[in-house]
Amino acid sequence: MRKYDYRKIESKWQEEWERNGTTGAEDDSSRRKFYVLNMFPYPSGAGLHVGHVESYAGADIIVRKRRMEGWNVLFPMGWDAFGLPAENYAIKSGVHPAESTAANIDNFRRQMKSLGFAYDWPRETNTSDPAYYRWTQWLFLLFYKNGLAYRDKAPVNWCDSCQTVLANEQVEGGACERCKNEVVQKDLEQWFLRITEFSDRLLDGLDGIDWPEKIKAMQRNWIGRSEGVEIVFRSERVRKSESEKDFSISVFTTRVDTLFGVSCVVLAPEHPLVKEIVTDEHRATVGEYVKQAQGKSELERTGTELDKTGVPTGATVKHPFTGEDIPVWIADYVLATYGTGAVMCVPAHDERDYGFAEKYGLEVKEVVVSDGESGKLEAGSGKIVGGGEGEKGRRGEMGQAFIEKGRLVDSGEFSGLTSEEAIDKMVEALASKKLGEKKVNYHLRDWLISRQRYWGPPIPIIYCDKCGEVPVPEKDLPVLLPDDVDFNPTGESPLTASKTFHDVKCPKCGGDARRESDTMDTFVDSSWYFLRYCSPHDGEHAFSSHDVARWCPVDLYIGGAEHAVLHLLYSRFFTMVLYDAGLIPFEEPFLKLINQGMVLGEGGEKMSKSKGNVINPDDVAAEHGADSLRMYEMFMGEFEDAKPWDTQGIVGVDRFLDKVWMTVHDVVHTERPEADDALDRLLHKTVRKVSEDIEAFKFNTAISAMMIFLNEWSKSATGGRETAGTFLKLLAPYAPHIAEELWHELGNEKSIALEEWPKWDEALTKDEVVTLVIQVNGKLRDSLEVAAGEDEERVKEMALANEKVKGYIEGKEVKRIVVIQDKIINIVV
Ligand code: ANZ
Ligand code: ZN
């Protein structure tokens, strides 16, 4: 049996807080501002997950403490409401996405309110609301006017089951992130945002923000800055016919030092030169090969463990140093979209090249050896036997190619140089012949934002036969989603079939025109929502510069690590674009980032419907109360670590809260004296511990400290109203309902959320110090300063280690040590 009716108390205070608006940010610049942001949820039909609760409870604790410390805190919530699941649900059930989304949002809001999170509800924002997506469209036009949004035909990732294009970030292991169907490549006209123009700034900015190193590394890796050399291979061919012209192929390499080991030059099948250089003899096989490559996903083409295929073109080029003839091949492990779309194939030193050479019997020339081994290797090493394990693990992980840098052999005038020296010398030599230069490449691609779907913001562009691509005038925004649509996927946007939407007059010439029927990726919506929260009801602007300057950048962003690349990179990109446009005064949106750890199922596996181990926060809150649920999730383990659910653990938290209830009631009903010295010291220690732990996101150890205090307090006959008040303030961010209720029972009228956060007296947090006399055989020899009540064994150790004492006991046997606590220690020898 629980000791109090949490249901009654919790709903009572939730209503009261809402009435009094105790959680709003104020337009008051006299106080320090603090902007705490939770990643806003996609309002799915499943409702809140205990993982959401983890993230929101952590943020709420920080927010409540900061408010009590007098900060002006912004803590908004909203809905990432556009997206595929609502549309897929519409296809299945016939329920319009707007309808199901609204219902889901109501449910999410109800759940959040029932857990007492102190959000600034009047700022609630919904990305599928025309009042929001009007500005998403406005931002698109801003990008467009600045040359940062463009349309291009491009090979795109296509999911045949979702019937849509996917961003690279939405392809996981060659499969669609959502439906796990295999992703294929297709050529389509698509809209892109020019994020690649920001590659270096996106890299450099990472140095100045307080984010987990792991997330920064993932962003760096995704941007993939690569320093290398572009080398030109010239054909200089002897023409057999008029149609054969000279050509040259540029390749990008990070290992120019391996140039003497090149066996062939390989073009991507889509490389524009392929058609030009292929000899008549090879035209048919090359054509065939190009066709089959089109059906493959990028991952299928590039994975090191996969079979490498290719065909010769019959053409050859000259080695830039030796002048030797080098055959030109095409192979689909070379991507058209990276570097120059061509590589020099060096089988001895690159895994993929090795696989390729092995398959087609190409020469494998070893030209770099582990430093210090060069003497052992004869010149002209020729073929390596496939799979042979090199001595001293010289070869790469897969035991085939030696991929490390080392010292050059068989490389003409460059033999004997280290790889680093050779890279410099070779670039110099190539540059003087105009056959090469240093080059930096990035793996980052422009962001493909077109989606052939309904439930997203329409791209505000109109196509006119006379005027071409015409942006929708700003005064005509928003371009509203029509209602007369059929959701069944056809491969074209459902908007194409809507007459009310599709047919439009050209804003320039007034002639017949048609609207762009693609919608934007939902990641566009979430790239700027943190700005909208600052002035959520502004009907004239996407955001007010005044309010954004007041609140932004976000001081603390809390959310899942799964957004390491997509959302967090896009938001940074948007922020930089808006900074350049002079609309905001900062370049990084999120100063500090914290990722909550995943809440796992009871057995330690991931929670999933199919495993039937999903814990529903509604059920837990009904059975234990919102305070218990919140507090338990914070007590489960380190905030940033993954941790399994444990039903026994929450029962422990129930008991703790019951004991809080009983103890404070005891204080109210009996006239307890104020805390004695020992309890007072423990209270100050607890205040310090809880305060510092919250700042360090160590919510679990802060709770332990409160538990320790409560134990001592409930045993003690002291600790009256003042003690209770201080303790409840510490508890309030974690368990706001019970804290508020008991705070009022102590006779207070104002909300505890508006009280001042307790301070501690540093001196009282230190243990009291006593002077201990050390005797040897009853004679005073020295003294020791130790904490009052110090452990006896520890005191003995300190006494024996004392320099003066050592002089008296050296060489003698210690027979006995007598300790009178806090007073005397006598060593008998
Ligand atoms: C020859 C070589 C020899 C290479 C060697 C590596 C090791 P990152 O670091 O990702 O920039 N490459 C270049 N363009 C490519 C494309 N379009 N498709 C597939 N592979 C491509 O990698 C650069 C290396 O990836 C380049 O350096 C090239 O292979 C390959 F011992 O050139 B290397
Ligand atoms: Zn026109």
Side-chain angles (χ1 to χ4, degrees), residues 590-601:
F590 314 125
L591 299 181
K592 183 177 177 70
L593 174 71
I594 293 283
N595 299 124
Q596 79 274 3
M598 212 184 313
V599 180
L600 304 169

Side-chain angles (χ1 to χ4, degrees), residues 47-263:
L48 275 195
H49 182 274
V50 286
H52 290 119
V53 176
E54 169 89 3
S55 173
Y56 306 158
D60 198 46
I61 289 166
I62 305 267
V63 164
R64 287 172 177 274
K65 171 169 178 277
R66 285 289 162 104
R67 283 188 179 139
M68 291 173 80
E69 287 170 332
W71 297 70
N72 194 10
V73 181
L74 176 59
F75 186 38
M77 182 43 79
W79 320 106
D80 190 11
F82 270 138
L84 260 183
E87 194 166 341
N88 287 340
Y89 181 68
I91 295 164
K92 263 204 317 222
S93 68
V95 178
H96 193 283
E99 210 178 296
S100 57
T101 301
N104 292 345
I105 286 176
D106 285 345
N107 187 43
F108 265 72
R109 190 192 303 104
R110 174 194 62 76
Q111 290 187 294
M112 286 182 185
K113 287 190 175 178
S114 77
L115 295 177
F117 299 127
Y119 292 121
D120 199 335
W121 285 111
R123 291 176 190 262
E124 184 180 340
T125 291
N126 170 349
T127 58
S128 69
D129 182 344
Y132 183 93
Y133 72 72
R134 166 185 183 182
W135 300 113
T136 305
Q137 292 171 337
W138 180 84
L139 286 165
F140 173 89
L141 294 177
L142 178 82
F143 277 64
Y144 184 77
K145 281 166 202 159
N146 286 298
L148 295 171
Y150 65 95
R151 198 159 165 259
D152 196 13
K153 199 166 192 118
V156 296
N157 305 303
W158 176 261
C159 173
D160 226 15
S161 142
C162 291
Q163 289 277 307
T164 191
V165 167
L166 301 170
N168 286 341
E169 292 86 338
Q170 288 164 329
V171 180
E172 280 173 0
C176 170
E177 170 196 63
R178 294 217 176 276
C179 73
K180 311 295 171 211
N181 203 50
E182 196 189 316
V183 170
V184 293
Q185 305 291 303
K186 230 181 173 179
D187 264 341
L188 286 174
E189 287 274 3
Q190 301 287 324
W191 284 95
F192 293 87
L193 298 186
R194 227 180 269 286
I195 190 171
T196 53
E197 210 164 271
F198 293 75
S199 299
D200 275 322
R201 281 168 73 184
L202 288 166
L203 280 174
D204 294 344
L206 291 172
D207 297 333
I209 50 182
D210 182 7
W211 286 19
E213 264 321 307
K214 201 179 67 192
I215 304 282
K216 289 191 188 183
M218 285 170 83
Q219 293 217 348
R220 286 193 190 104
N221 200 32
W222 187 260
I223 296 165
R225 188 177 194 277
S226 173
E227 286 179 18
V229 180
E230 245 178 58
I231 307 175
V232 181
F233 288 80
R234 292 216 174 114
S235 64
E236 296 167 20
R237 60 181 164 187
V238 190
R239 294 189 205 179
K240 291 195 200 114
S241 74
E242 268 308 293
S243 67
E244 287 186 7
K245 289 194 218 95
D246 267 337
F247 62 91
S248 58
I249 298 174
S250 288
V251 306
F252 175 69
T253 179
T254 47
R255 291 294 306 275
V256 63
D257 55 311
T258 64
L259 183 49
F260 283 77
V262 61
S263 300

